[in-house]
Amino acid sequence: MKNEIAQKFKNLYGAEPLVVRSPGRINIIGEHTDYNDGFVLPAAIDKAAYLAIALRDDDEIHLKAEDMNETFSISIKELKPVGDIGWPNYILGSVAQFIKKGIPLKGFNALLTSDVPIGAGLSSSAAVECATTFALNELFSTHYDRIEMVKMSQKAEHEYAGVMCGIMDQFASMMGKKDHVIKLDCHSLEYEYVPFKLDGIKILLLDTNIKHSLASSEYNTRRKECAQAVEWIKEHEPNVNSLRDVTEEMLDKYVFPKDELIDKRSRFVVQEINRLQKACEDLKKGDIDAMGKKMFATHDGLSEMYSVSCDELDYLINFVRNNDAVIGARMMGGGFGGCTINLVKENAVPGLIKDISAQYEKHNGIKLDAYVVSISDGTEIM
Ligand code: GLA
C-alpha cells in the first residue's frame, strides 16, 4: 500500500511524501458510553486510511481523495469547514487544531485513500483525522503525544464535521494494539490493553449498507437527553457529574417521574456502563460465552431503549441470535445503519455469510457486505 500511494503522490505532485496509516475501529461492548464518561472496549482493525503528504512552499493546501477522484484546495489563511463535500473537513479540521495552538503551519499537498467502508460505523472519519494529525505532528515537529493527538482529532470532528462525538473512535485509531482491545475509561482516559485473540473465533462485520444519514442529528439529540437526566439528578445529588456517577435507583427517583423517554435513554447508558465492566471480567476469565450474551443484551438496549438501531440491523441480529456458532452479536457504533459485529466460530463463517447474505438481500432488497477483520496496531508512519 505504501509504495502504491507514494508513487501516485509522486505522479500527482512530483515529490516524495510521508505516508501515514491510521485504522478504522470496532467496539466489542460499551456503546454510547464514551460521552457519558463511561468505559468502552474498542480496537483498531486491519482496514485503514492512508495519507501521503508533503509540504509546499506557500500557504495552500491541495488535497485529493483518490477513491472518489475528487480534489479540493484552500489557503491556510482562509481555513474553514466546507459545505458540499464532506471528506476535506476531516483533514482541514485537524489542520485547524494546530493553528489554534499557535503553530505556524505552511501549506501542503496530500493524497488520501482508504479501505475503511464509509458510513459503516467503522470510524472512517476518525481514521482520516488521526492520520492527518499524526502526519502534521511529524512534518512540523510539534512533538504532541498520542493522547494529545487523540483529543485534537476529536475536536476536528466536533468543529469541522459537526458531530459531537465522544473520544472512542479517535482513541482506538491512534492507540490500537495488535490482538488487543483497549479498555478505556473515558473520564480519566486511563486505559488498559486486554488480549483479544480468541482461538477458533473470528470477528465478522456485517454491513447493512444503510448509510446512517440520521446519525449526526440523532446522535447530538441523545447527548442532550443524557445531559438532561444528569441535570435533574444533580439537583438532588450534587456530586453527580455524568451518567457514570448515576445508579438506577437515582433514575427511579429523579428521572422516571419527570420523563419516561429521558429515563429510558439514560437507563440504557447506566446499564451499559455496568455491563461493560462485567464483560471485561468475562473476557479476562476466558468466559467468552458470557461476554457474547452481554453483546446481545447491548443490542437489545440500543434498539429498544436508546432507539439507535434500524430494521436492517435488528434483522441481522435476530438472524444470528439462536445460532450456536455465533457467540455474540450486536449493532456497532453510532447507529441508524452501518455494521453489526459478530463473534463467530471460524468453521461456521463461510456458511453464515452465504446464508445471511442471501436472506438479507431477499428480505431487504439491499446487498449485504461481510468483512472478517483482525485487530491491528494504531496510527503509524509507513
Ligand atoms: C460514534 C461516536 C463515538 C461513540 C459511538 C457510540 O462512533 O463517534 O464517539 O459515541 O458513536 O458508542
Side-chain angles (χ1 to χ4, degrees), residues 1 14 86 94 96-99 110 116 120 220 267 287 301 319-320 346 350:
M1 184 55 96
S94 302
Q97 303 315 311
F98 286 82
I99 293 174
V116 186
N220 293 345
R267 196 173 295 270
D287 191 349
F319 194 97
V320 300
E346 193 165 1

Side-chain angles (χ1 to χ4, degrees), residues 59-262:
D59 284 335
E60 289 185 12
I61 297 175
H62 287 230
L63 308 175
K64 179 168 185 197
E66 174 70 16
D67 313 321
M68 298 166 189
N69 199 20
E70 284 177 359
T71 56
F72 180 82
S73 47
I74 194 168
S75 157
I76 290 196
K77 298 211 171 71
E78 281 150 26
L79 198 72
K80 60 171 184 328
V82 292
D84 41 350
I85 39 175
W87 63 268
N89 281 328
Y90 308 127
I91 297 176
L92 303 181
S94 302
V95 172
Q97 303 315 311
F98 286 82
I99 293 174
K100 275 169 65 186
K101 286 176 177 287
I103 307 296
L105 293 193
K106 287 202 320 183
F108 60 84
N109 296 321
L111 178 63
L112 172 68
T113 178
S114 175
D115 62 1
V116 186
I118 293 170
L122 301 178
S123 300
S124 55
S125 61
V128 177
E129 290 148 2
C130 290
T132 308
T133 307
F134 201 88
L136 295 178
N137 190 49
E138 188 68 22
L139 286 182
F140 293 99
S141 303
T142 39
H143 304 295
Y144 295 125
D145 63 24
R146 281 184 184 253
I147 300 289
E148 188 59 30
M149 288 192 276
V150 167
K151 293 179 188 164
M152 291 163 76
S153 304
Q154 181 195 18
K155 289 225 181 77
E157 179 85 23
H158 288 184
E159 294 168 10
Y160 274 63
V163 180
M164 296 309 290
C165 64
I167 203 154
M168 169 170 74
D169 305 347
Q170 291 79 7
F171 200 101
S173 184
M174 187 74 77
M175 304 293 290
K177 181 172 170 179
K178 191 173 171 29
D179 296 333
H180 289 74
V181 291
I182 311 169
K183 184 183 178 193
L184 171 65
D185 177 336
C186 300
H187 178 63
S188 65
L189 295 191
E190 276 169 23
Y191 60 97
E192 180 192 350
Y193 291 113
V194 183
F196 198 87
K197 204 154 191 305
L198 308 173
D199 277 343
I201 294 172
K202 291 284 179 198
I203 302 167
L204 171 66
L205 306 180
L206 296 173
D207 186 351
T208 57
N209 278 313
I210 301 285
K211 302 295 172 207
H212 41 16
S213 60
L214 260 180
S216 55
S217 62
E218 286 295 317
Y219 187 89
N220 293 345
T221 304
R222 292 296 174 283
R223 273 197 88 130
K224 285 188 199 132
E225 289 166 344
C226 293
Q228 178 63 77
V230 171
E231 198 184 306
W232 285 337
I233 297 168
K234 207 174 166 61
E235 287 166 11
H236 308 272
E237 306 269 356
N239 292 332
V240 163
N241 293 313
S242 67
L243 288 179
R244 167 77 171 273
D245 307 325
V246 167
T247 61
E248 289 204 53
E249 292 70 39
M250 293 179 196
L251 296 174
D252 295 341
K253 265 163 86 180
Y254 308 126
V255 179
F256 184 78
K258 278 201 149 131
D259 189 315
E260 286 186 29
L261 183 77
I262 305 277

Side-chain angles (χ1 to χ4, degrees), residues 291-312:
M291 188 187 76
K293 289 206 177 79
K294 294 188 177 70
M295 291 171 71
F296 282 111
T298 291
H299 181 81
D300 295 339
L302 287 166
S303 180
E304 290 155 23
M305 298 169 78
Y306 216 60
S307 303
V308 291
S309 187
C310 62
D311 291 347
E312 293 81 0

Side-chain angles (χ1 to χ4, degrees), residues 314-326:
D314 290 344
Y315 178 85
L316 291 177
I317 296 306
N318 289 333
F319 194 97
V320 300
R321 205 183 277 274
N322 297 315
N323 182 332
D324 289 342
V326 179

